[in-house]
Amino acid sequence: MRRMLLPLAFLALLGCNENIQTTAPVSLSQNALFNRDSVSAFLGTVPEQQQDSSKQAFLKGIDLLKNNNNAAEAINLLRQSIALYPNANAYYELGNAYLETKKWSLALKAFGLAETLDYKPLGNVFYKQASCYAEMVSINKMLDYITYAVQNGF
């Protein structure tokens, strides 16, 4: 009887392990981070379990940006966070990091995607975009975006 129980127990354990699958995280390519269509398509396919990994990179990036004044390193972590699971907050903070490193065009792209992904409060996004245009000496666009910011509660 004992001889039969050992092989049956082995088969039962083996059968339980068949349903365990490990999947490697999927990520948005670095070239597609600022492509609205690619981001939207990716969000339709990415597993929600990746939010945790994305959030960890996001929080490390925010710490570097806000507490350690290291915008350059924060950019890498925020881009990594976005590649794993794009969201409005990560794009907004990436825009802030690009502002600090004086990369105005990239900041505008990041703020544009924060707007697309419905960042709240929207007035803050418009104000940051106005800041970029001011630095780029595009006065008319700066005035337009300041107006949008005020109209949206800034």
Side-chain angles (χ1 to χ4, degrees), residues 1-148:
M1 182 77 159
R2 288 185 191 186
R3 288 184 193 179
M4 287 179 63
L5 288 177
L6 187 59
L8 287 176
F10 178 75
L11 289 174
L13 286 174
L14 186 62
C16 290
N17 288 332
E18 287 181 18
N19 293 332
I20 298 173
Q21 295 177 354
T22 57
T23 56
V26 293
S27 65
L28 188 63
S29 74
Q30 292 295 311
N31 294 333
L33 287 183
F34 295 115
N35 182 304
R36 284 177 170 81
D37 294 332
S38 296
V39 169
S40 294
F42 182 75
L43 281 171
T45 61
V46 65
E48 286 194 32
Q49 295 86 354
Q50 283 190 200
Q51 280 183 324
D52 289 338
S53 297
S54 173
K55 189 173 184 176
Q56 288 174 0
F58 174 76
L59 292 174
K60 287 178 186 175
I62 290 299
D63 183 52
L64 286 170
L65 181 63
K66 307 278 183 181
N67 299 327
N68 297 320
N69 295 320
N70 189 347
E73 203 50 44
I75 288 169
N76 294 331
L77 285 166
L78 292 168
R79 288 178 67 103
Q80 178 184 345
S81 172
I82 290 167
L84 289 170
Y85 201 93
N87 66 74
N89 290 338
Y91 275 108
Y92 181 78
E93 295 302 341
L94 180 62
N96 285 328
Y98 280 132
L99 260 178
E100 285 192 28
T101 57
K102 301 179 183 194
K103 296 179 181 174
W104 320 123
S105 295
L106 289 171
L108 283 171
K109 288 180 181 182
F111 291 132
L113 273 154
E115 178 186 353
T116 298
L117 294 174
D118 204 26
Y119 182 84
K120 299 288 186 219
L122 186 57
N124 289 6
V125 174
F126 290 140
Y127 177 78
K128 294 291 185 164
Q129 289 171 314
S131 298
C132 290
Y133 286 120
E135 294 292 345
M136 297 168 75
V137 193
S138 182
I139 303 304
N140 290 334
K141 284 190 176 188
M142 179 206 61
L143 292 173
D144 288 343
Y145 277 89
I146 286 289
T147 302
Y148 302 150

